[in-house]
Amino acid sequence: MSHDLHVICRIGSEAVALSATNIESVDRIGAVTAVPGAPATVMGLVAMRSRILTLLDCAVISGEPHDPSAQSMAILSIDGHGYGLALAAIEDVLPLANIRPLPSPVAPRWHCLAPQLVDIHGRTLLVIDPARIVAAASNPGTSTLAA
Amino acid sequence: MEDLLREFVGEALDQIEEASADLVAWERDPTDRDALDRIFRAMHTIKGSSSFFELPRTTGVAHAAEEALEALRNRRGIPDGHIILLVLEAFDVCRRLVSGVTPADGEPQLAVDELIKRLGDHVRRDPRHEMEAEPAAMAALAVAADPAASWRTVRVPLDLLDTLMNAVSDLVLSRNELVARLRAERVDIEAMPAFERFNAQLVAVRGIVSGMRMVPLRQIFAPLPRLVRQIAADLGKQVQFVAEGGEVEIDREVGEALRDPLTHLLRNAIDHGVESAQRRREQAKAEVATIRVSALRSNNRISIIIADDGQGIDVARVVAKAVAGSLLTAEAAAALSPQARLDLIFHSGLSTTDAVTNISGRGVGMDVIRANVERIGGRVSLDNAVGKGLTVTLDVPMTLTIVNALAVPVAGQDYAIPRAMVEEVMMMTSDWVQHCQSGGADFARIRGKLIPMLVIEKLFDGDAATDSDDSERALIILRGSGRRRVALSVPDVRDIEELVIKPVPAILASHGLFCGMSLPDSGRPLLVLDIESILMRCPEIVEERHAAEAASAVAVGEPWLFLTRHGSDSRNAVPMAAIDRIVDVPRDAIIHAGGRWFAHMGEDIMAVAADFASLPASGMVRLVKLALGNRTLAIDAADIGHIVQIDPATIRPADQMGVMGISMFGHEMVELIDVHAMLSATGAAVARSTEDQAAPATIWLMSGDEASGALRLLAPLIEQAGYRCKSATEADTIPADADVILRYLDSGADNRIEVRRGTASQTVNLWDRAALLAAIGGERAA
């Protein structure tokens, strides 16, 4: 088991570790351009130098209400499009080992994010692949917003 | 090494493509030494490079092709078609080998020995080959070494260009930020010559980078000569292909999007356009047909013109096919302008060849071409000269990535509309514009012509209210493919500079409002409206060209929606003013209860009138919900057509129940549905259940003699209006407190009825239903 870097942060009320393998950088969320008609999982567009990122509301994707304290975003590219994942309380970037499958089923709303589990300093965190978050936001059918 | 190999592959593919075109050109004109020299140079380079990369199959095929070409050249006679075909095959194999090359495995394991042997056989069959081989090879080498003939180019991957483009955009944004900071410090930056220079240079660099994405059309044209040669050979026709304007530059992406339409058009031209050699002789035409593809540039648009000297399109046959395929009626076709008749060829499922060949004529053709061209913001037009040939013009933007746009501010944020989709911008206050509302829908009457209108705020959010009134708003007339037109009402319009458009991710494209985004100099992301999909939003506002033409002739009167009902052959129309909405309901939700039909929609229950036996057995049924006063009724619609204004003066009376009259539209007859009659007859049932059931007033019909017995015929009209009818033969059987008494005045030909209401009395014309209803006390709520 390698020691991959993870971003320790909070999504809604849940402490999570996002795999940093695909994350290009973490930045503060600047001015947001609203996108009329977009699903609730999309907060809008933000500019990062000459790139335009689609800002996704991770709290909403995981089935919680919009979290106004999510002021930072993790930036990644998928299929040529740039995305920002709105996150709250970014604490640290740590190499994590001993990531293991979930011992028991999580709440259904987390299913689409296929989380795993890790213990650090006595805390238990959900480990999530950020690409899953983008996929869940893009396919509302697989996300369980109503849960 | 990997980079070198990738470079070799790209270069070789281009060379093979150009060599194929050159070979066909040389076959046509064996005196064209330049073409032949270019082929030799290409083959020689491929042979050399492939042996350097240890790709033995490619080297072998390239070598054998070169030998065969040498043999051909030495013969100095007419090129032998068979050899040309063989060499073209060799080019194909080379292309497959080269495009399959990977750094790990080298070239793909294709069997090439047989091809090399066949090429060799040809060379050996030529007696002069042996003695002239050496000098010829020398000449080829000399040509290859000629430095003046080679372009000074560097191959760069497209990604790198995009990265460069982004970097330059970053520079522009950094400049803007710098300017803003310095301004805040009260530095007069504009006055600095150095800044001015920097600015000019930055703009220049941006232009150069955009130019780098451009490729000469020659690259798109390169495979065409060979294609024409092959199709012509398959069909046994003789065609000469000429390409002009290959130096015109076009965005690589646009060029790629043109490949398919060009191929289709050339197939059509050879298959449908070009006559057999014999027919051409009979018509005193050159036996060899000519197809000419040329390109012209004007500003930001490129016109690509494909002209043949064949027989042109037999418009009468197109019309006959369209009528036979029920695209329109013969009468409607006769009303079309010649251009509109020609444009029928763009309808899907229409082909003029009777026999389906494997080249074209399968009924997918012009419609697909038009769809492909319009997808990249282009337009297709036809110029038909019967007996002389067809000219097709594809007018496309030079580049997809940079568009001119209008900015529309909505709720403090700008949105972009590509200029190519905008026909006109008008102020709502203009004398030419009138805003109409019918049945909950908005329309704009522009120079007397009615077009559907969308309000941008409502488009974004169905419940939104506009925050400005009409006098301050502007109207953007949008025109998409398929000639749909919509007026978009917006709070304001500004012109904006060229935008570099980037695609939006699927999550934003799926709801069909936006097709792209851009980062203008302001540094705030800008969304580009997806006009095509916005135009598609309202199926009931499809405006076909012949409808538009006919409508312009009758630009007075109320708007009517054309529709066809299930189980009916005739065309119907309902007044837009009576339409509440158009809904699709599952067939299961249409139920029979209490002797009537209803559509169940959640809480809502609507009475439905339809020929129920003809409704589809399952799936969705489209209903048009009619509403007037407190009554509603839904009628089925198998097909919803366009909206047309009908001049009341053109309406002729009808004898059928539920039809208020007929009107001619072009040469098509339309039955105008008597919504009032339908609502009175059917809608009442639903209404009655909830309303108080006060006894209706009674109307007495005096029918003393036989002639006035005809008054009984008025009973349905009166009962529909919410009254009860009673007949009396003697005046004294009518109670003294009777509300209304009708009496037929038998005074000759003027058909008058006396209406006595209490003490008042008046006479009305027997056929004037409205006056009669008014005289008896008007319409009553049931």
Side-chain angles (χ1 to χ4, degrees):
Chain A
M1 174 73 69
S2 60
H3 288 55
D4 288 333
L5 285 175
H6 284 74
V7 178
I8 313 301
C9 58
R10 186 163 56 72
I11 290 178
S13 55
E14 200 79 32
V16 298
L18 279 190
S19 159
T21 319
N22 295 317
I23 292 176
E24 295 161 18
S25 59
V26 174
D27 212 317
R28 287 192 68 75
I29 297 173
V32 179
T33 298
V35 183
T41 52
V42 176
M43 288 169 68
L45 301 177
V46 283
M48 264 295 288
R49 288 185 294 281
S50 69
R51 281 173 83 193
I52 304 173
L53 308 176
T54 304
L55 187 62
L56 301 178
D57 193 330
C58 294
V60 173
I61 293 166
S62 67
E64 294 200 22
H66 170 71
D67 178 5
S69 69
Q71 294 292 332
S72 304
M73 59 179 175
I75 297 163
L76 73 162
S77 285
I78 288 175
D79 294 336
H81 296 289
Y83 294 92
L85 306 180
L87 306 168
I90 295 183
E91 284 173 22
D92 211 346
V93 178
L94 293 176
L96 295 183
N98 297 324
I99 296 169
R100 51 178 205 272
L102 289 168
S104 59
V106 278
R109 58 194 168 85
W110 286 97
H111 273 172
C112 59
L113 302 179
Q116 290 177 294
L117 216 59
V118 75
D119 290 316
I120 42 168
H121 314 309
R123 282 161 74 199
T124 308
L125 302 182
L126 287 178
V127 180
I128 291 170
D129 175 359
R132 287 270 184 182
I133 300 179
V134 175
S138 306
N139 305 304
T142 61
S143 122
T144 46
L145 297 181
Chain B
M1 190 67 174
E2 255 190 69
D3 285 351
L4 280 177
L5 186 65
R6 206 175 301 130
E7 203 167 300
F8 158 72
V9 169
E11 208 162 295
L13 289 177
D14 279 356
Q15 280 168 336
I16 293 167
E17 192 125 318
E18 284 176 25
S20 304
D22 281 331
L23 186 59
V24 177
W26 178 71
E27 182 194 19
R28 201 176 61 228
D29 178 11
T31 61
D32 186 355
R33 295 288 295 196
D34 288 351
L36 195 58
D37 288 345
R38 280 196 300 269
I39 305 169
F40 268 105
R41 208 153 55 223
M43 281 298 111
H44 202 78
T45 314
I46 292 171
K47 191 170 92 176
S49 323
S50 61
S51 80
F52 170 75
F53 287 108
E54 291 173 57
L55 305 169
R57 290 182 183 79
T58 313
T59 314
V61 174
H63 176 73
E66 201 182 358
E67 297 266 281
L69 284 166
E70 255 172 48
L72 259 180
R73 176 155 71 172
N74 296 338
R75 254 172 246 175
R76 294 182 215 282
I78 312 287
D80 166 358
H82 188 67
I83 289 208
I84 300 276
L85 213 57
L86 205 54
V87 174
L88 284 174
E89 191 183 331
F91 288 172
D92 271 348
V93 171
C94 276
R95 182 184 301 126
R96 273 160 56 204
L97 285 167
V98 170
S99 51
V101 165
T102 59
D105 306 325
E107 56 192 1
Q109 312 282 315
L110 284 178
V112 296
D113 292 348
E114 199 263 346
L115 175 67
I116 293 174
K117 184 175 166 298
R118 275 193 289 145
L119 282 163
D121 286 349
H122 259 279
V123 175
R124 274 185 289 283
R125 214 175 293 152
D126 181 43
R128 281 167 298 178
H129 176 250
E130 294 296 326
M131 45 187 197
E132 288 188 28
E134 271 320 296
M138 294 293 285
L141 276 173
V143 167
D146 180 6
S150 68
W151 300 341
R152 294 171 57 83
T153 56
V154 176
R155 302 188 66 85
V156 176
L158 213 52
D159 288 356
L160 192 58
L161 277 187
D162 288 340
T163 312
L164 178 61
M165 188 103 151
N166 285 341
V168 172
S169 305
D170 282 351
L171 262 181
V172 172
L173 292 170
S174 305
R175 174 203 63 184
N176 296 346
E177 200 179 327
L178 190 66
V179 170
R181 289 267 169 92
L182 289 173
R183 269 208 198 114
E185 305 271 320
R186 300 185 177 278
V187 178
D188 187 2
I189 188 165
E190 268 88 3
M192 292 181 194
F195 177 75
E196 202 176 297
R197 240 181 0 258
F198 167 73
N199 225 3
Q201 281 158 356
L202 191 53
V203 170
V205 167
R206 185 140 77 153
I208 294 167
V209 172
S210 316
M212 284 179 177
R213 289 183 60 93
M214 308 299 273
V215 294
L217 268 171
R218 191 184 312 115
Q219 288 189 12
I220 312 298
F221 288 170
L224 301 181
R226 185 170 169 197
L227 180 83
V228 170
R229 184 187 184 281
Q230 229 158 35
I231 299 168
D234 286 352
L235 290 165
K237 291 179 178 173
Q238 291 187 46
V239 179
Q240 183 196 357
F241 180 77
V242 184
E244 288 163 351
E247 73 286 352
V248 173
E249 294 201 318
I250 195 164
D251 188 298
R252 205 184 174 99
E253 245 174 298
V254 180
E256 290 301 324
L258 282 176
R259 271 185 206 274
D260 280 355
L262 276 174
T263 309
H264 276 298
L265 284 170
L266 288 174
R267 289 204 161 128
N268 282 347
I270 302 168
D271 196 7
H272 306 272
V274 172
E275 313 89 333
S276 65
Q278 195 193 339
R279 272 205 67 180
R280 291 184 67 91
R281 266 197 305 276
E282 285 164 12
Q283 293 174 339
K285 281 185 173 180
E287 209 164 296
V288 178
T290 303
I291 296 179
R292 191 177 294 271
V293 173
S294 46
L296 294 170
R297 184 193 155 177
S298 58
N299 292 328
N300 282 332
R301 315 249 341 149
I302 310 266
S303 295
I304 295 175
I305 301 144
I306 303 99
D308 67 60
D309 62 350
Q311 57 194 352
I313 296 177
D314 182 349
V315 178
R317 201 140 127 234
V318 174
V319 171
K321 284 255 171 184
V323 172
S326 311
L327 282 180
L328 76 176
T329 63
E331 291 81 10
L336 297 183
S337 68
Q339 188 66 40
R341 253 176 273 172
L342 179 60
D343 283 354
L344 285 173
I345 195 94
F346 289 118
H347 266 285
S348 61
L350 204 95
S351 167
T352 51
T353 33
D354 294 318
V356 169
T357 67
N358 66 345
I359 305 297
S360 53
R362 269 165 300 202
V364 287
M366 293 307 278
D367 57 323
V368 176
I369 291 168
R370 184 161 82 171
N372 281 341
V373 172
E374 286 177 347
R375 197 168 302 137
I376 52 167
R379 301 205 196 283
V380 185
S381 57
L382 302 176
D383 183 7
N384 186 37
V386 177
K388 290 187 181 151
L390 176 70
T391 302
V392 184
T393 305
L394 310 178
D395 174 49
V396 294
M398 196 169 74
T399 167
L400 287 184
T401 46
I402 298 181
V403 301
N404 283 313
L406 295 179
V408 172
V410 179
Q413 204 171 291
D414 277 358
Y415 297 88
I417 296 176
R419 264 212 162 274
M421 311 296 289
V422 176
E423 190 173 88
E424 197 175 3
V425 178
M426 307 179 95
M427 292 311 292
M428 281 300 261
T429 47
S430 158
D431 290 344
W432 301 109
V433 178
Q434 196 191 335
H435 181 182
C436 325
Q437 275 176 315
S438 290
D442 292 289
F443 299 91
R445 199 191 296 269
I446 292 162
R447 296 187 197 90
K449 223 170 174 177
L450 203 61
I451 62 172
M453 180 170 132
L454 294 170
V455 179
I456 198 163
E457 288 90 342
K458 288 187 189 161
L459 200 61
F460 288 169
D461 173 5
D463 305 323
T466 56
D467 50 6
S468 53
D469 72 296
D470 266 6
S471 64
E472 291 165 353
R473 294 174 72 86
L475 212 52
I476 302 176
I477 316 301
L478 302 168
R479 177 170 222 131
S481 59
R483 302 192 168 76
R484 281 187 181 82
R485 289 211 308 165
V486 163
L488 185 65
S489 163
V490 296
D492 199 4
V493 185
R494 277 184 298 108
D495 218 344
I496 44 176
E497 84 267 46
E498 295 179 325
L499 290 177
V500 179
I501 306 283
K502 292 172 182 168
V504 291
I507 186 169
L508 298 183
S510 57
H511 65 293
L513 270 176
F514 306 108
C515 60
M517 53 193 186
S518 179
L519 199 58
D521 289 353
S522 71
R524 284 207 69 180
L526 184 67
L527 285 153
V528 183
L529 285 173
D530 186 349
I531 301 300
E532 283 291 353
S533 115
I534 287 169
L535 289 173
M536 297 288 276
R537 269 171 187 245
C538 326
E540 72 266 35
I541 53 177
V542 173
E543 189 187 20
E544 287 165 29
R545 171 173 253 203
H546 56 278
E549 284 180 359
S552 62
V554 194
V556 289
E558 284 307 303
W560 290 71
L561 175 69
F562 280 23
L563 52 86
T564 309
R565 302 185 63 189
H566 288 284
S568 163
D569 294 330
S570 52
R571 194 76 117 131
N572 290 135
V574 286
M576 285 301 296
I579 297 177
D580 183 48
R581 60 199 159 110
I582 297 172
V583 288
D584 290 330
V585 301
R587 176 64 184 84
D588 308 346
I590 300 177
I591 48 169
H592 191 246
R596 292 191 174 275
W597 289 87
F598 296 97
H600 214 326
M601 293 178 53
E603 299 282 294
D604 198 8
I605 291 182
M606 281 188 291
V608 180
D611 175 6
F612 292 96
S614 305
L615 288 185
S618 58
M620 302 296 281
V621 177
R622 179 158 288 184
L623 297 178
V624 177
K625 184 178 174 194
L626 306 171
L628 190 62
N630 59 353
R631 294 188 183 183
T632 59
L633 171 70
I635 60 171
D636 65 302
D639 177 44
I640 289 192
H642 29 261
I643 296 166
V644 174
Q645 285 170 284
I646 295 178
D647 181 355
T650 64
I651 301 175
R652 286 162 228 183
D655 285 337
Q656 195 187 326
M657 178 62 196
V659 178
M660 72 162 270
I662 54 168
S663 180
M664 296 302 284
F665 174 69
H667 285 255
E668 199 180 357
M669 203 174 64
V670 186
E671 292 180 355
L672 307 179
I673 291 178
D674 187 345
V675 172
H676 187 263
M678 292 190 85
L679 283 174
S680 338
T682 323
V686 177
R688 220 171 254 159
S689 61
T690 54
E691 281 166 22
D692 94 32
Q693 300 228 354
T698 307
I699 308 275
W700 287 90
L701 304 175
M702 271 289 293
S703 24
D705 50 41
E706 236 180 312
S708 55
L711 269 188
R712 268 311 302 169
L713 299 179
L714 286 175
L717 168 73
I718 293 164
E719 278 167 359
Q720 274 172 25
Y723 297 89
R724 199 166 47 181
C725 281
K726 280 197 175 168
S727 301
T729 47
E730 304 294 333
D732 55 10
T733 60
I734 298 175
D737 61 344
D739 298 313
V740 181
I741 303 167
L742 299 188
R743 198 157 61 87
Y744 188 51
L745 298 178
D746 191 15
S747 57
D750 62 350
N751 293 334
R752 296 197 80 75
I753 302 173
E754 185 199 9
V755 180
R756 198 185 302 150
R757 220 173 141 200
T759 53
S761 169
Q762 58 174 318
T763 66
V764 296
N765 187 296
L766 171 63
W767 301 115
D768 191 344
R769 288 159 65 110
L772 183 66
L773 286 180
I776 62 176
E779 182 85 359
R780 287 168 53 102

